[in-house]
Amino acid sequence: MSTTRKLWLGLAALLIVSFSVLLWVGYEVHQQAPPLPTAVVTSEGQTLYTKADMELGREVWQSIGGQQLGSIWGHGALLAPDWSADWLHREATTMLELLARDEGLGPYASLDAPQQAALKSRVMQELRTNTYDAGTDTITVSDLRAHAMEAVAAHYMSLFSNDPATKKLREDYAMRDNTIAEMPHRRAVTAFFWWTSWAAAAQRPHETMSYTQNWPYEPIAGNTPTSTAFLWSIFSVLFMILGIGLLAWHHAVHGSEEKPAAPPLRDPLADLKPTPSMKATAKYFWTVLALFLAQILLGATTAHYQVEGQQTYGFALANYLPYALTRTWHTELAVLWIATAWLATGLYIAPMISGYEPKFQRLGVNFLWVCLLVIVVGSFAGQWFAVMDKMGLQYNFWFGHQGWEYTDLGRFWQIFLFVGLMLWVFLVGRALWPVMRSKDESASIVGLLFMSTVAIGLLYGAGLMWGEHTHIAMVEYWRWWVVHLWVEGFFEVFATAVISYLFMKLGLVRVHTATVGVLFATIVFMAGGVLGTLHHLYFSGTTTAVIALGASFSVLEVVPLALIGLEAYGTWKRQHSAPWMARYRWPIMFFVAVSFWNLVGAGMFGFLVNTPIALYYMQGLNLTALHGHTALFGVYGMLGMGLMLFCLRGIKPQAMWREGLLRGSFWSLNIGLSLMGVLTLLPLGLLQLRAVLDHGYWFARSAEFMDRPLIHMLVWMRMPGDILFAIGALLIAVFVASLWLAQKPQARTKVLARALPEGAPPARAEAVAETV
């Protein structure tokens, strides 16, 4: 049996087993999710909240931005509190004050340590005791807790209105006045917030931990890390060390079995004539840059809200474009422009691989582009109407704002995008079909490329697996299928296959080497990538199995990065393989940047927050944002840029490449991203981590902490990095524009000849000159 066949069988077995386990975990989450009761009643039988109240509250919360305004169970925006943690702390401290008053002891803060300890013990017992009765489907609370709930609810109803008493707090949270206009809706939101906090503290039946694995850290409520979090954190590190050791052994044994390929004398793609559909992808790359620039502008606006609250340099921007909306569009555009770059690459490279232009392929490419524009404009308009409270709850789920970070699009637009992805799969597949049917040696790597294309299309469908009232633990389960498996999973396989094929097509890598390398890399990545999805779900109302499997397999995602330096060096060295490779210098440089940020952003900063015990304290802080920014743009964004430049080299083969613009863009983007992390996200995240350890999770997200002068200074420190990053984006936009606006250059044979080694044969010099 050939090596390629063995690897294909190993990959198939791995995916079958991994997805089977992942689906089993989903079944367990569904069975053991925190119950949503029919009613919450007092011990005297008074109904405080009904299930309808909690369901309505969730609908309202989603319509105003959901996870884009504060967070729930740690998932969501970094500005405004985590509502679960904030409610839990307010309810616990209110109960302490009420107890102290009822006992005639005076204010709680004035009591001595033994008295405070006694009251804390009673409150902890009250919060951790699970009073859910499956027979009556109700949760019963004491009169003490009912009074505390009423007081906290009054605070929230004031906060979400235009009450002057909470205006300063709204400014600190970057919330517009009258975020929720109707009083019944404000009350319903308090019901939903209370339920999320109840699940965070109430112990699971026959367990000593809450439904959210004791998250958030709140000592008053008895929420401290579980032994499970410690245990599986330790084992995960051992698994990582073992994985790195095995990978290093494999590289030492098999890494240099085959001699590197001798590069051809001239560019194999020099005579490539773009087909009509390949040329039609140019508009996708223009769209990529437009979306990228818009994302940067919205990101700067979103960051600025942290220091001016409802305003931007004195202008009341929140009245027209509130924080929840700018952050929604900022996060969505990050995925959309990167995905558009990769979709365009697939459409460009498929006819290039096969040399076959299917009938009406150009029409399909153009039609898909129009659909993408309609989806962006339509979904963004719907989200504006939803967040501005101009749509109504009846239509919000389908056309407005779903409220789930990265999957905020209304259901209609989600379906539309899924259909668009299926069209993309069809267009790529029909162009690749002649190669996949052939017995060509490259058929295997092309097959893997198409498999990843199919997976990308189908896995977005996971976003259609929940409904408007699906339990939020299950929504989180399916949502991370989209965010992790779609973006971080099979897009990675697609990119690896594309880059390997490109190097193979250029004659820099042997076909067998490329095929084996891609299959092996896919196996290594998927070994941790599929079940590594679960590390996002440690504290989302899930079971202990999620922590055990998530911790064990997510660290395996770090394993391939142990040899990232060798990969980066190999990629960088290829630009010097032949003089004509100067044509591909900047695509390769962006691929090298991908390797660097894979090591730093995805690897180092990813592992920082990956283990259960680390994420217990860091989830929803700026340390997770540090990982998100450096991994999402550093890896996938840089990769999108590199792929775009490669395609543009083929679309405009005779255009003059302004090296200065690309050089400035490359270094501005990389240095700007570094400064953004080092000057703001990292120090701010470390300060928040200390605040969590000292006072509890609620404090690190509170207005009291975030409104400090030091925090404001750190936010302002983002400006140098943001400006440099924006300059880099503008430079690459100008460069792309110059490909169409600048005149065709004259051949520069003499300049290139000077780059040739002394004594090179004339035929080689002529070959190089022909490729310019």
Side-chain angles (χ1 to χ4, degrees), residues 669-727:
L669 289 171
N670 280 280
I671 295 173
L673 182 60
S674 301
L675 292 177
M676 191 187 307
V678 172
L679 298 182
T680 298
L681 297 177
L682 180 59
L684 181 52
L686 291 175
L687 289 174
Q688 284 185 301
L689 176 59
R690 180 177 178 180
V692 172
L693 295 171
D694 288 345
H695 302 285
Y697 184 84
W698 70 274
F699 183 70
R701 297 283 301 275
S702 67
E704 179 183 351
F705 177 83
M706 296 299 293
D707 200 32
R708 294 179 174 182
L710 176 60
I711 303 301
H712 285 190
M713 184 196 74
L714 288 174
V715 175
W716 278 110
M717 289 292 288
R718 273 193 63 159
M719 185 168 285
D722 284 357
I723 291 175
L724 199 57
F725 191 84
I727 290 173

Side-chain angles (χ1 to χ4, degrees), residues 366-424:
N366 289 334
F367 178 73
L368 179 59
W369 177 74
V370 172
C371 290
L372 288 174
L373 293 186
V374 171
I375 290 168
V376 172
V377 174
S379 63
F380 281 25
Q383 288 166 346
W384 185 87
F385 279 101
V387 173
M388 298 302 291
D389 202 12
K390 297 178 182 294
M391 176 174 284
L393 298 181
Q394 182 179 357
Y395 304 105
N396 177 69
F397 177 77
W398 281 93
F399 300 101
H401 200 306
Q402 282 202 46
W404 306 110
E405 190 179 25
Y406 293 109
T407 55
D408 302 285
L409 280 70
R411 177 53 51 88
F412 172 81
W413 304 110
Q414 276 187 312
I415 295 173
F416 196 167
L417 182 54
F418 180 69
V419 173
L421 288 170
M422 291 297 100
L423 174 59
W424 175 67

Side-chain angles (χ1 to χ4, degrees), residues 88 91-92 95 123-129 145 201-202 220-221:
L88 181 60
E91 185 178 355
M95 289 174 68
V123 168
M124 184 186 303
Q125 181 71 19
E126 179 88 24
L127 294 173
R128 298 198 65 78
T129 300
R145 188 169 187 179
I220 300 177

Side-chain angles (χ1 to χ4, degrees), residues 87-109:
W87 182 293
L88 181 60
H89 180 76
R90 290 180 183 276
E91 185 178 355
T93 53
T94 302
M95 289 174 68
L96 288 173
E97 292 294 344
L98 292 175
L99 273 176
R101 184 197 65 186
D102 292 346
E103 297 290 333
L105 301 175
Y108 174 79

Side-chain angles (χ1 to χ4, degrees), residues 604-632:
M604 185 172 70
F605 293 145
F607 183 70
L608 174 67
V609 299
N610 222 2
T611 59
I613 192 60
L615 197 60
Y616 180 85
Y617 294 108
M618 299 180 194
Q619 181 162 286
L621 305 184
N622 276 273
L623 290 174
T624 55
L626 174 67
H627 164 56
H629 281 73
T630 53
L632 184 57

Side-chain angles (χ1 to χ4, degrees), residues 260 263 499-500 502-504 506-510 513-514 566-582 584-585 588 592:
I499 293 174
S500 296
L502 294 180
F503 285 144
M504 182 187 74
L506 291 171
L508 305 180
V509 182
R510 299 178 190 274
T513 303
L566 295 176
E567 177 189 334
Y569 176 69
T571 302
W572 179 80
K573 192 168 64 173
R574 287 189 177 105
Q575 68 180 301
H576 305 292
S577 301
W580 53 262
M581 277 299 294
Y584 303 102
R585 180 190 177 191
I588 287 179
V592 172

Side-chain angles (χ1 to χ4, degrees), residues 489-567:
F490 283 94
F491 261 127
E492 183 86 13
V493 177
F494 173 80
T496 302
V498 167
I499 293 174
S500 296
Y501 185 87
L502 294 180
F503 285 144
M504 182 187 74
K505 193 73 174 176
L506 291 171
L508 305 180
V509 182
R510 299 178 190 274
V511 176
H512 176 75
T513 303
T515 303
V516 171
V518 170
L519 283 169
F520 181 75
T522 301
I523 290 173
V524 172
F525 185 80
M526 287 297 158
V530 176
L531 292 179
T533 306
L534 299 176
H535 82 261
H536 298 285
L537 303 174
Y538 291 152
F539 315 117
S540 297
T542 53
T543 62
T544 301
V546 169
I547 284 188
L549 291 169
S552 301
F553 285 90
S554 64
V555 294
L556 296 181
E557 295 177 288
V558 181
V559 169
L561 306 181
L563 299 177
I564 204 72
L566 295 176
E567 177 189 334

